[in-house]
Amino acid sequence: MNDCIFCKILSGDIPSTEVYSNAHVYAFRDINPKADSHILVIPRTHIESAAEINADNSELVARCFEAIAEIVRREGLSKRGFRVISNAGEGAGQTVPHLHFHVLSGSLGAF
Ligand code: 5GP
Ligand code: ZN
């Protein structure tokens, strides 16, 4: 997906601030944070949105959530609590068509 911003982040063509990385998942800080802590968790495979999840790729969703649990432990967010949000479709506010999970903690803005 040549023109996908998040694929370009995965390839290193667009710089990002890494929070967590493994063979399947990458997590980085949102460029425009809407909470004290705003982290984006994405699969390394290009999937457009949650509407495209099926039996063949749903393992990646599990990998993302395993990563989220590890990230909140590392960042000390579990006590404060956090939200996980995935916008699917422009009508729901999705602006980057590569599946991603917002992990938000602390005082929340528009979310
Ligand atoms: P969406 O609106 O699709 O649910 O979320 C996309 C998120 O990606 C937004 O919160 C936006 O701030 C973030 N974002 C867009 N472009 C970049 C970028 O180049 N780098 C980083 N770190 N975040 C980005
Ligand atoms: Zn992509």
Side-chain angles (χ1 to χ4, degrees), residues 23-25 42-47 53 56-66 99 101:
H24 307 282
V25 176
I42 66 175
R44 289 189 178 276
T45 303
H46 182 91
I47 298 169
I53 302 301
D56 292 330
N57 63 20
S58 59
E59 196 192 335
L60 288 171
V61 177
R63 300 282 190 182
C64 284
F65 274 79
E66 288 165 9
L99 177 68
F101 298 97

Side-chain angles (χ1 to χ4, degrees), residues 5 7-8 15 31 58 67 73-74 76 78 84 86 93-95 98-99 104 107 110:
I5 293 172
C7 282
K8 285 180 181 163
I31 203 167
S58 59
R73 273 193 293 272
R74 287 187 188 180
S78 6
V84 180
S86 189
Q94 184 178 14
T95 57
H98 180 128
L99 177 68
L104 299 133
S107 60

Side-chain angles (χ1 to χ4, degrees), residues 10-72:
L10 287 168
S11 66
D13 291 338
I14 294 177
S16 63
T17 304
E18 178 181 321
V19 174
Y20 178 87
S21 177
N22 69 25
H24 307 282
V25 176
Y26 182 65
F28 54 103
R29 303 216 180 267
D30 196 294
I31 203 167
N32 180 23
K34 299 181 183 67
D36 294 338
S37 176
H38 187 170
I39 294 162
L40 298 171
V41 179
I42 66 175
R44 289 189 178 276
T45 303
H46 182 91
I47 298 169
E48 248 185 64
S49 78
E52 306 300 322
I53 302 301
N54 57 45
D56 292 330
N57 63 20
S58 59
E59 196 192 335
L60 288 171
V61 177
R63 300 282 190 182
C64 284
F65 274 79
E66 288 165 9
I68 288 168
E70 177 61 23
I71 290 163
V72 298

